mmCIF file of all heavy atoms in Angstrom:
data_model
loop_
_atom_site.group_PDB
_atom_site.id
_atom_site.type_symbol
_atom_site.label_atom_id
_atom_site.label_comp_id
_atom_site.label_asym_id
_atom_site.label_seq_id
_atom_site.Cartn_x
_atom_site.Cartn_y
_atom_site.Cartn_z
ATOM 1 N N ASN N 36 -47.322 2.839 11.618
ATOM 2 C CA ASN N 36 -48.220 2.497 12.721
ATOM 3 C C ASN N 36 -49.291 1.557 12.207
ATOM 4 O O ASN N 36 -50.249 1.938 11.574
ATOM 5 C CB ASN N 36 -48.842 3.751 13.318
ATOM 6 C CG ASN N 36 -49.794 3.456 14.459
ATOM 7 O OD1 ASN N 36 -49.870 2.351 14.910
ATOM 8 N ND2 ASN N 36 -50.510 4.487 14.940
ATOM 9 N N LEU N 37 -49.124 0.243 12.427
ATOM 10 C CA LEU N 37 -50.015 -0.745 11.807
ATOM 11 C C LEU N 37 -51.452 -0.632 12.335
ATOM 12 O O LEU N 37 -52.328 -1.165 11.705
ATOM 13 C CB LEU N 37 -49.480 -2.167 12.058
ATOM 14 C CG LEU N 37 -48.080 -2.446 11.505
ATOM 15 C CD1 LEU N 37 -47.678 -3.903 11.754
ATOM 16 C CD2 LEU N 37 -48.023 -2.134 10.033
ATOM 17 N N SER N 38 -51.628 -0.063 13.509
ATOM 18 C CA SER N 38 -52.963 0.011 14.073
ATOM 19 C C SER N 38 -53.979 0.741 13.201
ATOM 20 O O SER N 38 -55.167 0.552 13.306
ATOM 21 C CB SER N 38 -52.909 0.649 15.462
ATOM 22 O OG SER N 38 -52.620 1.996 15.372
ATOM 23 N N ASN N 39 -53.473 1.649 12.290
ATOM 24 C CA ASN N 39 -54.433 2.375 11.489
ATOM 25 C C ASN N 39 -54.900 1.610 10.268
ATOM 26 O O ASN N 39 -55.616 2.178 9.414
ATOM 27 C CB ASN N 39 -53.811 3.753 11.091
ATOM 28 C CG ASN N 39 -52.538 3.587 10.316
ATOM 29 O OD1 ASN N 39 -52.396 2.724 9.484
ATOM 30 N ND2 ASN N 39 -51.587 4.510 10.564
ATOM 31 N N ARG N 40 -54.523 0.347 10.146
ATOM 32 C CA ARG N 40 -54.917 -0.464 8.965
ATOM 33 C C ARG N 40 -56.342 -1.039 9.178
ATOM 34 O O ARG N 40 -56.939 -1.508 8.230
ATOM 35 C CB ARG N 40 -53.982 -1.582 8.738
ATOM 36 C CG ARG N 40 -52.528 -1.189 8.403
ATOM 37 C CD ARG N 40 -52.425 -0.013 7.449
ATOM 38 N NE ARG N 40 -51.119 0.141 6.856
ATOM 39 C CZ ARG N 40 -50.097 0.840 7.345
ATOM 40 N NH1 ARG N 40 -50.254 1.544 8.459
ATOM 41 N NH2 ARG N 40 -48.921 0.926 6.707
ATOM 42 N N LEU N 41 -56.826 -1.015 10.395
ATOM 43 C CA LEU N 41 -58.183 -1.578 10.634
ATOM 44 C C LEU N 41 -59.233 -0.652 10.074
ATOM 45 O O LEU N 41 -59.189 0.558 10.290
ATOM 46 C CB LEU N 41 -58.429 -1.725 12.158
ATOM 47 C CG LEU N 41 -57.939 -2.997 12.825
ATOM 48 C CD1 LEU N 41 -58.260 -2.976 14.330
ATOM 49 C CD2 LEU N 41 -58.576 -4.229 12.208
ATOM 50 N N PRO N 42 -60.192 -1.149 9.314
ATOM 51 C CA PRO N 42 -61.273 -0.330 8.790
ATOM 52 C C PRO N 42 -62.129 0.211 9.895
ATOM 53 O O PRO N 42 -62.325 -0.463 10.936
ATOM 54 C CB PRO N 42 -62.031 -1.247 7.807
ATOM 55 C CG PRO N 42 -61.675 -2.611 8.296
ATOM 56 C CD PRO N 42 -60.290 -2.559 8.887
ATOM 57 N N ILE N 43 -62.793 1.328 9.682
ATOM 58 C CA ILE N 43 -63.574 1.975 10.723
ATOM 59 C C ILE N 43 -64.738 1.145 11.178
ATOM 60 O O ILE N 43 -65.158 1.189 12.324
ATOM 61 C CB ILE N 43 -64.023 3.399 10.228
ATOM 62 C CG1 ILE N 43 -64.612 4.164 11.387
ATOM 63 C CG2 ILE N 43 -65.035 3.206 9.120
ATOM 64 C CD1 ILE N 43 -63.590 4.549 12.447
ATOM 65 N N GLU N 44 -65.280 0.301 10.258
ATOM 66 C CA GLU N 44 -66.449 -0.483 10.660
ATOM 67 C C GLU N 44 -66.108 -1.611 11.675
ATOM 68 O O GLU N 44 -67.047 -2.202 12.257
ATOM 69 C CB GLU N 44 -67.078 -1.115 9.366
ATOM 70 C CG GLU N 44 -66.160 -1.985 8.578
ATOM 71 C CD GLU N 44 -65.517 -1.152 7.430
ATOM 72 O OE1 GLU N 44 -65.443 0.064 7.562
ATOM 73 O OE2 GLU N 44 -65.094 -1.776 6.453
ATOM 74 N N LEU N 45 -64.836 -1.924 11.848
ATOM 75 C CA LEU N 45 -64.447 -2.897 12.820
ATOM 76 C C LEU N 45 -64.118 -2.287 14.211
ATOM 77 O O LEU N 45 -63.598 -2.976 15.089
ATOM 78 C CB LEU N 45 -63.180 -3.641 12.357
ATOM 79 C CG LEU N 45 -63.426 -4.665 11.232
ATOM 80 C CD1 LEU N 45 -62.157 -5.456 10.988
ATOM 81 C CD2 LEU N 45 -64.528 -5.640 11.616
ATOM 82 N N LEU N 46 -64.444 -1.016 14.384
ATOM 83 C CA LEU N 46 -64.200 -0.315 15.675
ATOM 84 C C LEU N 46 -62.773 -0.463 16.110
ATOM 85 O O LEU N 46 -62.420 -1.251 16.990
ATOM 86 C CB LEU N 46 -65.123 -0.847 16.745
ATOM 87 C CG LEU N 46 -66.618 -0.632 16.539
ATOM 88 C CD1 LEU N 46 -67.417 -1.257 17.683
ATOM 89 C CD2 LEU N 46 -66.915 0.865 16.462
ATOM 90 N N PRO N 47 -61.850 0.262 15.464
ATOM 91 C CA PRO N 47 -60.426 0.192 15.774
ATOM 92 C C PRO N 47 -60.223 0.485 17.320
ATOM 93 O O PRO N 47 -61.021 1.174 17.933
ATOM 94 C CB PRO N 47 -59.815 1.321 14.961
ATOM 95 C CG PRO N 47 -60.727 1.511 13.786
ATOM 96 C CD PRO N 47 -62.102 1.188 14.372
ATOM 97 N N PRO N 48 -59.186 -0.134 17.892
ATOM 98 C CA PRO N 48 -58.936 -0.006 19.365
ATOM 99 C C PRO N 48 -58.681 1.439 19.698
ATOM 100 O O PRO N 48 -58.082 2.193 18.925
ATOM 101 C CB PRO N 48 -57.732 -0.881 19.566
ATOM 102 C CG PRO N 48 -57.058 -1.002 18.270
ATOM 103 C CD PRO N 48 -58.133 -0.943 17.250
ATOM 104 N N ASP N 49 -59.004 1.776 20.936
ATOM 105 C CA ASP N 49 -58.719 3.165 21.442
ATOM 106 C C ASP N 49 -57.284 3.145 21.976
ATOM 107 O O ASP N 49 -57.054 2.718 23.075
ATOM 108 C CB ASP N 49 -59.728 3.494 22.534
ATOM 109 C CG ASP N 49 -59.464 4.866 23.137
ATOM 110 O OD1 ASP N 49 -58.710 5.642 22.481
ATOM 111 O OD2 ASP N 49 -60.022 5.183 24.208
ATOM 112 N N LEU N 50 -56.359 3.669 21.177
ATOM 113 C CA LEU N 50 -54.960 3.722 21.558
ATOM 114 C C LEU N 50 -54.582 5.064 22.063
ATOM 115 O O LEU N 50 -53.408 5.324 22.350
ATOM 116 C CB LEU N 50 -54.091 3.348 20.355
ATOM 117 C CG LEU N 50 -54.323 1.905 19.803
ATOM 118 C CD1 LEU N 50 -53.380 1.630 18.628
ATOM 119 C CD2 LEU N 50 -54.065 0.894 20.894
ATOM 120 N N GLY N 51 -55.544 5.932 22.255
ATOM 121 C CA GLY N 51 -55.276 7.268 22.790
ATOM 122 C C GLY N 51 -55.457 8.364 21.783
ATOM 123 O O GLY N 51 -56.047 8.163 20.747
ATOM 124 N N PRO N 52 -54.882 9.529 22.147
ATOM 125 C CA PRO N 52 -54.035 9.775 23.327
ATOM 126 C C PRO N 52 -54.891 9.817 24.602
ATOM 127 O O PRO N 52 -56.075 10.007 24.585
ATOM 128 C CB PRO N 52 -53.421 11.113 23.035
ATOM 129 C CG PRO N 52 -54.384 11.813 22.088
ATOM 130 C CD PRO N 52 -54.998 10.712 21.261
ATOM 131 N N LYS N 53 -54.175 9.629 25.728
ATOM 132 C CA LYS N 53 -54.796 9.711 27.069
ATOM 133 C C LYS N 53 -53.916 10.581 27.921
ATOM 134 O O LYS N 53 -52.673 10.598 27.795
ATOM 135 C CB LYS N 53 -54.894 8.373 27.697
ATOM 136 C CG LYS N 53 -55.897 7.416 27.065
ATOM 137 C CD LYS N 53 -57.332 7.790 27.373
ATOM 138 C CE LYS N 53 -58.296 6.770 26.899
ATOM 139 N NZ LYS N 53 -59.707 7.129 27.157
ATOM 140 N N MET N 54 -54.545 11.376 28.785
ATOM 141 C CA MET N 54 -53.815 12.190 29.728
ATOM 142 C C MET N 54 -53.601 11.409 31.015
ATOM 143 O O MET N 54 -54.458 10.671 31.432
ATOM 144 C CB MET N 54 -54.610 13.478 30.048
ATOM 145 C CG MET N 54 -54.810 14.363 28.860
ATOM 146 S SD MET N 54 -53.355 15.145 28.217
ATOM 147 C CE MET N 54 -53.025 16.327 29.448
ATOM 148 N N PHE N 55 -52.453 11.620 31.626
ATOM 149 C CA PHE N 55 -52.137 11.060 32.931
ATOM 150 C C PHE N 55 -51.803 12.174 33.907
ATOM 151 O O PHE N 55 -50.855 12.914 33.653
ATOM 152 C CB PHE N 55 -50.988 10.077 32.855
ATOM 153 C CG PHE N 55 -51.241 8.869 31.974
ATOM 154 C CD1 PHE N 55 -51.020 8.959 30.620
ATOM 155 C CD2 PHE N 55 -51.754 7.724 32.516
ATOM 156 C CE1 PHE N 55 -51.263 7.840 29.784
ATOM 157 C CE2 PHE N 55 -52.050 6.605 31.710
ATOM 158 C CZ PHE N 55 -51.772 6.671 30.381
ATOM 159 N N ILE N 56 -52.618 12.337 34.900
ATOM 160 C CA ILE N 56 -52.472 13.445 35.855
ATOM 161 C C ILE N 56 -52.170 12.811 37.243
ATOM 162 O O ILE N 56 -52.985 12.055 37.760
ATOM 163 C CB ILE N 56 -53.715 14.300 35.922
ATOM 164 C CG1 ILE N 56 -54.085 14.744 34.474
ATOM 165 C CG2 ILE N 56 -53.541 15.486 36.873
ATOM 166 C CD1 ILE N 56 -55.446 15.419 34.382
ATOM 167 N N ALA N 57 -51.003 13.124 37.808
ATOM 168 C CA ALA N 57 -50.621 12.470 39.039
ATOM 169 C C ALA N 57 -49.869 13.421 40.000
ATOM 170 O O ALA N 57 -49.151 14.314 39.523
ATOM 171 C CB ALA N 57 -49.679 11.251 38.718
ATOM 172 N N TYR N 58 -50.061 13.181 41.258
ATOM 173 C CA TYR N 58 -49.319 13.880 42.267
ATOM 174 C C TYR N 58 -47.858 13.288 42.354
ATOM 175 O O TYR N 58 -47.660 12.156 41.971
ATOM 176 C CB TYR N 58 -49.931 13.770 43.619
ATOM 177 C CG TYR N 58 -51.227 14.547 43.742
ATOM 178 C CD1 TYR N 58 -52.455 13.918 43.863
ATOM 179 C CD2 TYR N 58 -51.235 15.951 43.803
ATOM 180 C CE1 TYR N 58 -53.653 14.628 43.996
ATOM 181 C CE2 TYR N 58 -52.407 16.652 43.950
ATOM 182 C CZ TYR N 58 -53.638 15.987 44.012
ATOM 183 O OH TYR N 58 -54.770 16.669 44.153
ATOM 184 N N GLY N 59 -46.979 14.068 42.896
ATOM 185 C CA GLY N 59 -45.615 13.576 43.093
ATOM 186 C C GLY N 59 -45.620 12.551 44.230
ATOM 187 O O GLY N 59 -46.391 12.614 45.169
ATOM 188 N N SER N 60 -44.679 11.580 44.129
ATOM 189 C CA SER N 60 -44.578 10.528 45.153
ATOM 190 C C SER N 60 -43.321 10.803 45.963
ATOM 191 O O SER N 60 -42.402 11.505 45.514
ATOM 192 C CB SER N 60 -44.549 9.173 44.511
ATOM 193 O OG SER N 60 -43.393 9.027 43.714
ATOM 194 N N ASP N 61 -43.289 10.267 47.144
ATOM 195 C CA ASP N 61 -42.137 10.393 48.003
ATOM 196 C C ASP N 61 -40.900 9.677 47.423
ATOM 197 O O ASP N 61 -41.054 8.594 46.830
ATOM 198 C CB ASP N 61 -42.379 9.813 49.390
ATOM 199 C CG ASP N 61 -43.412 10.634 50.167
ATOM 200 O OD1 ASP N 61 -43.519 11.853 49.852
ATOM 201 O OD2 ASP N 61 -44.087 10.054 51.027
ATOM 202 N N GLN N 62 -39.789 10.282 47.509
ATOM 203 C CA GLN N 62 -38.537 9.659 47.058
ATOM 204 C C GLN N 62 -37.969 8.761 48.151
ATOM 205 O O GLN N 62 -38.404 8.779 49.315
ATOM 206 C CB GLN N 62 -37.516 10.714 46.648
ATOM 207 C CG GLN N 62 -38.007 11.690 45.588
ATOM 208 C CD GLN N 62 -36.970 12.743 45.263
ATOM 209 O OE1 GLN N 62 -35.764 12.436 45.250
ATOM 210 N NE2 GLN N 62 -37.390 13.977 45.017
ATOM 211 N N GLY N 63 -36.988 7.939 47.715
ATOM 212 C CA GLY N 63 -36.299 7.153 48.733
ATOM 213 C C GLY N 63 -36.858 5.743 48.919
ATOM 214 O O GLY N 63 -37.603 5.276 48.103
ATOM 215 N N GLU N 64 -36.421 5.138 50.016
ATOM 216 C CA GLU N 64 -36.683 3.728 50.216
ATOM 217 C C GLU N 64 -38.184 3.402 50.367
ATOM 218 O O GLU N 64 -38.621 2.357 49.964
ATOM 219 C CB GLU N 64 -36.003 3.319 51.528
ATOM 220 C CG GLU N 64 -36.044 1.808 51.781
ATOM 221 C CD GLU N 64 -35.534 0.990 50.674
ATOM 222 O OE1 GLU N 64 -34.577 1.458 50.013
ATOM 223 O OE2 GLU N 64 -36.073 -0.045 50.369
ATOM 224 N N GLN N 65 -38.992 4.328 50.851
ATOM 225 C CA GLN N 65 -40.436 4.061 51.003
ATOM 226 C C GLN N 65 -41.275 4.396 49.805
ATOM 227 O O GLN N 65 -42.467 4.269 49.869
ATOM 228 C CB GLN N 65 -40.930 4.840 52.279
ATOM 229 C CG GLN N 65 -40.203 4.464 53.545
ATOM 230 C CD GLN N 65 -40.289 3.002 53.875
ATOM 231 O OE1 GLN N 65 -41.338 2.395 53.728
ATOM 232 N NE2 GLN N 65 -39.162 2.415 54.276
#
Side-chain angles (χ1 to χ4, degrees):
N36 180 7
L37 300 184
S38 68
N39 60 38
R40 299 318 197 267
L41 275 179
I43 191 66
E44 56 267 23
L45 286 187
L46 295 177
D49 180 14
L50 300 180
K53 291 286 187 181
M54 300 290 289
F55 296 88
I56 305 169
Y58 289 110
S60 63
D61 292 333
Q62 303 179 36
E64 186 56 35
Q65 300 304 316

